[in-house]
Amino acid sequence: MISFITCLTFLSAANKLASAATVTYNWDVTWVNVNPDGQLSRPAIGINGQWPCPAITANVGDRVIINVKNTLGNETTSIHFHGLYQQGTSSMDGPSGVTQCPIPPGGSFQYNFQINQPGSYWYHSHTSGQYPDGFRGPLIVHDPSSPYRGQYDEELVLTVTDWYHDQMPSLINFYLSADQNPEGGEPVPYSALFNEAQNIKFSITPGKTYFVRIISMAAFAATYVHFDQHEMTIIEVDGVYTEKQAVDTVYVTAAQRYGVLIKAKPNANKNYAFLGSFDLDMFDSVPGYLNPNVTGYLVYDSHKPLPLEAPTLASFDAYDDFNLVPSDHEPLLGTPDQIITLNMDFTTIDGQNRAIFNNVTYVEQDVPTLMTALSVGPSASNPLVYGTGSIPFVLAYNSIVEIIVNNLDDGGHPFHLHGHQFQTIARSAPNAGLYNPSNTSAAQFPPVPMRRDTVMTNALGYLVLRFRATNPGVFLFHCHIEWHVDAGLVATMIEAPLELQKQQTIPADQLQTCRSQGIPTKGNAAGNTKDVLDLKGANTAPPGDPRGSVFHEI
């Protein structure tokens, strides 16, 4: 006999399935001339002739289909949907050379996946440092079952970005050149932007409560966000609901998101400013051209004047996100089955400024890594088939994985893991040196660790993360400062490859995208299908002419 509870569970699942929708977008990716900071008109990557790029919106359970046509003419492209697990659809994750081949000029590509997780996300190009040229936008997944449903009246989306006046191919070439840039300093942006603009206005109704989704789509800068005379209450980070935490200021690194509640004033006596201010400590130097601040306005009464000045603060006292507690109270994962230690630093290789994990710099392989995992049979469990240049780690299905990052650099780094929200179980203060597990016990870790998909490690300190490997696929772990991705601060997690082979295939149109560019889709990293342990020809050195996503004719 089927139990009453089983019947209710079945009916609930059936109702969710029946209510799920298919949300379709048709995007023509083009160049658009823009001038968001009022200083310089320049080409940016827009969609359907418009910029800023549009938001993707869906409900939990919806299927999203995005039909992409690349009409840039001179650059390849791809799209990563930052923070989405892509459970069962690893080929839709987006990084060129990893889960797909780049979309060539004139080419088309379909992204097709289901979203089963709520929260504040974003999408961006994941091809050769391209997204700072404008190819980025919010991705919002609404949740009818939110634990905070009914506690706010309206939603607002606030994106935080940094803006460059030069285009990425030339900046990448400069940044990586040890001759042109002997100190290896990252190019500093010109301006801070809110919603890809400045002096934006939100219309506010007295007495209402607003759910503000703060989404960093920055390439480099971390930003302090502060609302004048309005307290924020954090209820979500990176798609993870949290216990309520009242704060005055949030510190948002590149790629992080915060969902906050803001209670409006009871009257419309005046209007208020809110401020975004870059963390200048992120930059090796602060050039005279930089405007590190951006102002927006909470407009209670459009007939009243806006504040003459943005709020001025002697210092920013941002809340430490390590102390946030997920509202589901998922406990600390147990003793790890696999420990991956990544010592990160910077060096010079073949005349290029490069970033390294364990003395290796990441380089793309001839065969996209996902296609290797799906085509080499039982050898997919051997990390050698993926090439040392991909910095590969094979994860056993359902294992508890611990990643230790030792930051040997004197700057902070926001690290992102595709396909997961990890538990952050330890983060040292700056200058703490290497992590020493022999001096640490489980009792020192938080019993309910903060979870998110992007987290900052402090300068010359360490970070310890844990997650369970239940998502067969190929997922990158990398610093989300885009300059450091270009320099090779990337590792590859090949998760449960034998399970992956049972569950997933590459869509035919994706394979055709590769063939049209002469890119092999089978075999080891070097394209060897006969002896997959023969890695002769696999890429181990960075390309000699780094030009970002500029299209190379075959």
Side-chain angles (χ1 to χ4, degrees), residues 7 11 86 88 115 151 180 184 211 215 241 285 382 423 435 437 460 489:
C7 287
L11 288 172
Q86 296 295 356
I115 303 179
Q151 297 188 33
Q180 299 180 66
F211 178 30
I215 302 173
Y241 292 119
S285 61
N382 187 336
Q423 295 184 344
Y435 177 67
L460 297 169
L489 198 54

Side-chain angles (χ1 to χ4, degrees), residues 147-148 233-237 239-247 258-259 319-332 422-424 427 445-452:
Y148 294 104
T233 300
I234 298 171
I235 61 169
E236 180 224 342
V237 289
V240 177
Y241 292 119
T242 69
E243 293 185 354
K244 288 184 176 181
Q245 178 61 55
V247 298
Y258 282 86
Y319 183 78
D320 185 353
D321 64 332
F322 184 84
N323 296 320
L324 291 170
V325 178
S327 63
D328 62 6
H329 293 143
E330 178 185 280
L332 172 70
F422 45 70
Q423 295 184 344
T424 304
R427 175 169 58 190
F445 300 139
V448 180
M450 181 263 290
R451 297 198 315 275
R452 59 187 320 166

Side-chain angles (χ1 to χ4, degrees), residues 15-333:
N15 287 335
K16 287 182 179 179
L17 183 64
S19 63
T22 297
V23 183
T24 302
Y25 295 88
N26 297 304
W27 284 358
D28 185 11
V29 181
T30 62
W31 290 107
V32 181
N33 283 324
V34 302
N35 187 5
D37 63 359
Q39 298 184 42
L40 178 74
S41 180
R42 53 149 290 185
I45 297 174
I47 293 173
N48 299 336
Q50 301 295 317
W51 192 86
C53 295
I56 296 172
T57 58
N59 293 319
V60 173
D62 285 353
R63 178 164 296 278
V64 174
I65 297 175
I66 304 174
N67 298 306
V68 179
K69 177 69 180 295
N70 178 6
T71 57
L72 293 171
N74 63 334
E75 294 193 12
T76 61
T77 195
S78 70
I79 306 175
H80 171 57
F81 306 92
H82 183 111
L84 297 189
Y85 302 150
Q86 296 295 356
Q87 187 92 34
T89 50
S90 187
S91 66
M92 302 296 166
D93 195 45
S96 292
V98 182
T99 62
Q100 69 169 85
C101 296
I103 310 168
S108 297
F109 197 97
Q110 184 181 83
Y111 293 96
N112 184 336
F113 52 88
Q114 190 171 21
I115 303 179
N116 292 311
Q117 56 188 113
S120 308
Y121 305 97
W122 62 299
Y123 67 88
H124 59 87
S125 169
H126 214 304
T127 297
S128 301
Q130 187 180 63
Y131 85 77
D133 278 337
F135 197 176
R136 56 197 183 191
L139 194 166
I140 306 301
V141 186
H142 297 288
D143 181 12
S145 301
S146 166
Y148 294 104
R149 183 182 182 186
Q151 297 188 33
Y152 54 89
D153 301 290
E154 295 183 25
E155 290 190 19
L156 299 171
V157 175
L158 178 65
T159 67
V160 182
T161 48
D162 44 15
W163 186 245
Y164 290 82
H165 285 182
D166 296 298
Q167 290 179 249
M168 288 300 289
S170 61
L171 286 176
I172 291 170
N173 191 288
F174 164 79
Y175 168 62
L176 295 180
S177 171
D179 290 333
Q180 299 180 66
N181 183 25
E183 298 300 318
E186 301 86 355
V188 176
Y190 273 73
S191 304
L193 302 177
F194 278 148
N195 288 355
E196 304 287 31
Q198 294 183 332
N199 300 311
I200 68 168
K201 302 178 180 68
F202 288 139
S203 180
I204 301 297
T205 300
K208 283 190 173 182
T209 298
Y210 292 85
F211 178 30
V212 184
R213 299 178 184 268
I214 302 171
I215 302 173
S216 174
M217 306 190 301
F220 181 15
T223 305
Y224 295 96
V225 178
H226 172 83
F227 287 79
D228 188 28
Q229 300 180 53
H230 288 72
E231 185 179 71
M232 291 178 279
T233 300
I234 298 171
I235 61 169
E236 180 224 342
V237 289
D238 296 1
V240 177
Y241 292 119
T242 69
E243 293 185 354
K244 288 184 176 181
Q245 178 61 55
V247 298
D248 181 66
T249 302
V250 292
Y251 181 81
V252 193
T253 74
Q256 287 186 329
R257 290 88 64 209
Y258 282 86
V260 302
L261 298 180
I262 296 180
K263 177 72 172 178
K265 300 292 184 182
N267 56 61
N269 291 342
K270 60 182 292 190
N271 301 314
Y272 297 86
F274 57 94
L275 172 70
S277 185
F278 287 162
D279 176 6
L280 298 181
D281 290 339
M282 294 284 293
F283 308 143
D284 284 1
S285 61
V286 180
Y289 63 72
L290 172 64
N291 178 8
N293 300 319
V294 60
T295 304
Y297 300 95
L298 302 179
V299 180
Y300 284 80
D301 185 342
S302 61
H303 297 97
K304 288 186 169 64
L306 298 175
L308 295 177
E309 294 182 352
T312 56
L313 301 172
S315 62
F316 291 101
D317 184 19
Y319 183 78
D320 185 353
D321 64 332
F322 184 84
N323 296 320
L324 291 170
V325 178
S327 63
D328 62 6
H329 293 143
E330 178 185 280
L332 172 70
L333 290 171

